[in-house]
């Protein structure tokens, strides 16, 4: 929730906002013609792309304008009216463009870094808490031998019953 008007908050941080209708802001974001959209129940703006600066740098400026100054909720929608009912009348949504795999690869290969919390990639079948011993990873072994050792570790954990698969989505309440 912002205790300061969004336009003022971003102006203080040196982030340019262009007034738009909510529909125009959403369309500019979907068409990748804006770096971000800032939406309230009454107003909407877009953050213009900077042709001479990487997208990641512009996104970092946007996030740094509000991080630590406001309470942040990560929500699955940019429906400001619904969010205002849920979080309060002063709800402001900062929406970011949908980044594709190619975008992530390009950013990862550059010096630019995305701010945390603005992108999420779903990786089907991802493995969590595998906890492979560092000695195994730093031994400098042949990749084929390393693969065999990793397969043996996985097989051992399967036999011990310490591997679980959860096909359904989950909600975490401890963050």
């Amino acid at each position: 929730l912002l205790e300061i008007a969004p336009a003022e908050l971003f102006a203080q941080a040196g982030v340019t906002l262009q007034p738009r209708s909510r529909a125009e802001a959403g369309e500019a974001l979907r068409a990748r013609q804006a770096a971000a959209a800032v939406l309230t129940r009454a107003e909407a703006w877009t953050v213009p792309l900077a042709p001479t600066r990487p997208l990641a740098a512009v996104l970092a400026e946007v996030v740094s304008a509000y991080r630590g100054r406001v309470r942040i909720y990560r929500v699955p929608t940019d429906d400001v009216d619904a969010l205002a009912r849920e979080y309060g009348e002063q709800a402001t949504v900062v929406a970011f463009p949908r980044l594709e795999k190619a975008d992530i690869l390009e950013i990862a290969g550059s010096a630019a870094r995305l701010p945390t919390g603005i992108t999420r990639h779903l990786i089907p079948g991802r493995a969590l808490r595998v906890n492979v011993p560092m000695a195994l990873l730093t031994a400098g072994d042949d990749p084929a031998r390393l693969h065999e050792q990793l397969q043996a570790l996985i097989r051992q954990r399967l036999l011990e019953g310490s591997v679980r698969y959860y096909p359904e989505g989950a909600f975490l309440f401890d963050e």
Side-chain angles (χ1 to χ4, degrees):
L1 302 178
L2 298 178
E3 295 178 5
I4 184 172
E8 187 178 336
L9 177 74
F10 285 97
Q12 288 176 0
V15 175
T16 301
L17 294 180
Q18 297 175 331
R20 304 271 188 132
S21 71
R22 273 202 258 168
E24 291 170 334
E27 182 52 39
L29 205 55
R30 281 187 293 283
R32 313 260 327 225
Q33 297 169 344
V38 179
L39 313 167
T40 69
R41 292 186 85 174
E43 300 174 281
W45 303 267
T46 55
V47 177
L49 294 167
T52 58
R53 300 188 55 235
L55 175 62
V58 177
L59 295 175
E61 279 183 3
V62 170
V63 171
S64 68
Y66 62 79
R67 180 170 277 144
R69 298 186 68 195
V70 298
R71 181 172 285 165
I72 298 171
Y73 299 97
R74 289 181 175 86
V75 294
T77 181
D78 62 1
D79 183 342
V80 183
D81 295 322
L83 293 170
R85 288 189 297 275
E86 186 74 23
Y87 294 96
E89 289 296 315
Q90 298 302 314
T92 297
V93 173
V94 180
F96 298 100
R98 183 177 194 99
L99 299 178
E100 303 295 330
K101 182 178 179 181
D103 298 316
I104 301 299
L105 291 172
E106 180 181 328
I107 291 167
S110 73
R113 295 292 172 247
L114 284 172
T116 58
I118 69 164
T119 185
R120 179 171 178 246
H121 269 49
L122 298 179
I123 303 169
R126 68 187 187 268
L128 304 175
R129 298 191 298 244
V130 175
N131 298 327
V132 175
M134 286 301 292
L136 180 67
L137 298 175
T138 59
D141 282 345
D142 163 54
R145 179 158 163 66
L146 180 61
H147 181 74
E148 287 173 16
Q149 291 175 320
L150 181 59
Q151 291 302 313
L153 179 71
I154 292 170
R155 202 170 24 260
Q156 174 189 348
R157 292 188 183 167
L158 282 168
L159 292 172
E160 293 170 351
S162 63
V163 176
R164 293 181 306 251
Y165 172 68
Y166 297 100
E168 69 280 350
F171 293 89
L172 298 177
F173 286 89
D174 62 348
E175 290 196 359

